């Protein structure tokens, strides 16, 4: 397949995979959509997978049993670099995502006139018609404060409120003159929480030596937390379910330097010291951008 340079405002076959996701956002999503408890739980998992600034206690509790700690960590897709080998078996709970329920992107000119700051939270709740004590209000506040967090050392981050602003960030990080492609973890319909075995592992290279991961956050319209972590390696891992044989082409990142992570919780769960490499799978709703040479 041939690829052309991605000029501002245009698309090429290299980003064909994203159209499946964006089709549902634009054609099936509402500008303002209420979020259920089930979606809230998924998004909290996605928030943590999307950035090390999030608190693991939003996802799992602590256990005094080290074996149970490893199980809890693996179920949300986290593992150590020493576990990255063919034949490795670990329990994973891939999220069941209904892409048609995801909110749609606003056009940039629409998104730019709506305040996107926690200081305007009361006005935003009134604008979106959400009661102050509602679950939706809590999600909006969490998303705004997440986007306002300072990046950790070596990280570049940005919350995109439109597809145009997302592409602008990708170009700024990966280089305006480069070619780009977007990758995702293969979507599974009705995934089963089970033990998965690693079948194939291959590293995914970016010509700019950088990747951009964009994770959807809970908000009335599409908002993506995009960041480019330093000292990271991207892998494509094919896994097979031990119970039903389901095969998944998963994308995983290994953060090779975790010395500046804010929370100690994941180090405790995985039983490793601060600074040691930690890896995690990406959700199918996460968009991973890399640059390449044609």
């Amino acid at each position: 397949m041939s690829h052309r340079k991605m000029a501002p405002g245009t698309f090429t076959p290299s980003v064909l995979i994203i159209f499946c996701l964006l089709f549902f956002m634009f054609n099936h999503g509402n500008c303002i959509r209420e979020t259920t408890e089930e979606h809230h739980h998924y998004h909290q998992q996605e928030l943590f997978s999307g950035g090390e600034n999030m608190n693991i206690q939003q996802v799992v509790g602590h256990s005094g049993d080290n074996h149970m700690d490893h199980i809890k960590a693996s179920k949300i897709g986290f593992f150590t670099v020493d576990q990255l080998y063919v034949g490795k078996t670990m329990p994973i709970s891939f999220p069941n995502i209904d892409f048609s329920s995801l909110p749609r992107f606003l056009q940039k000119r629409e998104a730019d006139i709506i305040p996107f700051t926690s200081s305007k939270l009361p006005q935003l709740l009134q604008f979106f018609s959400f009661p102050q004590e509602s679950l939706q209000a809590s999600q909006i506040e969490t998303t705004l404060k997440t986007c306002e967090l300072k990046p950790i050392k070596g990280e570049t981050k940005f919350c995109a409120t439109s597809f145009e602003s997302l592409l602008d960030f990708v170009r700024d990080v990966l280089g305006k003159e480069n070619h780009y492609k977007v990758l995702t973890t293969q979507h599974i319909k009705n995934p089963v929480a089970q033990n998965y075995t690693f079948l194939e592992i291959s590293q995914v290279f970016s010509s700019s030596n950088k990747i951009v991961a964009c994770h959807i956050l809970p908000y009335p319209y599409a908002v993506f937390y995009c960041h480019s972590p330093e000292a990271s390696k991207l892998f494509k891992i094919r896994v097979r379910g031990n119970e039903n044989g389901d095969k998944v082409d998963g994308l995983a990142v290994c953060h090779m330097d975790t010395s500046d992570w804010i929370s100690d919780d994941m180090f405790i769960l995985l039983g490793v010291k601060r600074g040691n490499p930690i890896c995690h799978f990406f959700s199918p709703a996460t968009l991973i951008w890399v640059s390449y040479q044609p």
Side-chain angles (χ1 to χ4, degrees):
M1 181 181 294
S2 61
H3 299 276
R4 295 173 296 169
K5 286 187 178 180
M6 180 184 287
T10 65
F11 303 97
T12 74
S14 64
V15 295
L16 183 61
I17 193 172
I18 200 173
F19 284 118
C20 294
L21 176 63
L22 296 181
F23 174 82
F24 287 115
M25 287 185 174
F26 280 105
N27 295 287
H28 295 280
N30 296 322
C31 180
I32 298 174
R33 180 183 296 278
E34 294 196 358
T35 311
T36 65
E37 288 283 355
E38 179 181 359
H39 290 149
H40 176 68
H41 174 70
Y42 158 68
H43 282 304
Q44 292 291 9
Q45 290 189 359
E46 182 62 23
L47 279 170
F48 182 79
S49 297
E52 293 70 41
N53 292 328
M54 300 307 295
N55 191 334
I56 187 71
Q57 289 181 347
Q58 293 177 326
V59 186
V60 295
H62 287 294
S63 167
D65 188 306
N66 186 62
H67 175 65
M68 287 301 297
D69 288 346
H70 278 76
I71 290 178
K72 287 181 179 180
S74 66
K75 281 186 176 179
I76 55 173
F78 282 78
F79 54 98
T80 66
V81 72
D82 294 336
Q83 297 170 317
L84 186 63
Y85 60 87
V86 172
K88 167 65 182 176
T89 296
M90 59 183 278
I92 306 174
S93 296
F94 287 105
N96 187 8
I97 301 172
D98 178 7
F99 285 98
S100 66
S101 71
L102 298 180
R104 72 173 180 91
F105 272 120
L106 297 183
Q107 294 185 6
K108 189 175 188 301
R109 65 174 181 270
E110 296 174 318
D112 287 348
I113 63 175
I114 302 175
F116 191 76
T117 171
S118 58
S119 65
K120 299 291 185 181
L121 182 60
Q123 295 94 316
L124 287 169
L125 295 182
Q126 185 176 10
F127 177 78
F128 293 127
S129 300
F130 290 143
Q132 187 173 357
E133 302 302 322
S134 66
L135 172 63
Q136 292 81 7
S138 175
Q139 290 177 319
I140 290 173
E141 182 179 15
T142 297
T143 290
L144 291 172
K145 290 186 175 179
T146 298
C147 290
E148 291 168 354
L149 286 172
K150 293 182 179 180
I152 63 175
K153 183 179 178 181
E155 179 191 43
T156 303
K157 64 181 284 286
F158 174 72
C159 280
T161 57
S162 67
F163 189 51
E164 296 95 326
S165 63
L166 187 153
L167 285 180
D168 286 342
F169 179 74
V170 169
R171 293 189 183 101
D172 287 342
V173 173
L174 299 183
K176 291 181 173 63
E177 298 303 317
N178 284 328
H179 297 248
Y180 319 108
K181 57 184 176 181
V182 62
L183 308 171
T184 64
T185 289
Q186 175 187 310
H187 180 239
I188 316 171
K189 188 175 182 180
N190 301 319
V192 176
Q194 60 182 310
N195 285 328
Y196 287 85
T197 299
F198 291 14
L199 300 181
E200 301 174 21
I201 302 172
S202 59
Q203 186 171 352
V204 180
F205 293 95
S206 180
S207 61
S208 61
N209 293 321
K210 295 180 179 179
I211 67 170
V212 175
C214 295
H215 315 265
I216 194 166
L217 300 182
Y219 211 70
Y221 53 88
V223 171
F224 276 81
Y225 178 102
C226 297
H227 68 139
S228 179
E230 194 175 52
S232 297
K233 295 182 180 180
L234 182 65
F235 294 90
K236 179 180 178 181
I237 306 175
R238 169 162 286 194
V239 298
R240 181 184 59 218
N242 291 8
E243 294 181 16
N244 59 12
D246 278 349
K247 291 183 179 179
V248 182
D249 287 325
L251 285 177
V253 64
C254 290
H255 301 277
M256 306 310 292
D257 183 4
T258 59
S259 56
D260 290 305
W261 284 18
I262 293 176
S263 173
D264 289 326
D265 295 319
M266 188 52 66
F267 304 115
I268 295 173
L269 285 178
L270 291 174
V272 296
K273 294 182 179 180
R274 173 174 292 276
N276 285 11
I278 290 179
C279 310
H280 65 82
F281 280 97
F282 287 113
S283 158
T286 299
L287 310 177
I288 312 300
W289 296 81
V290 297
S291 57
Y292 69 96
Q293 295 295 333

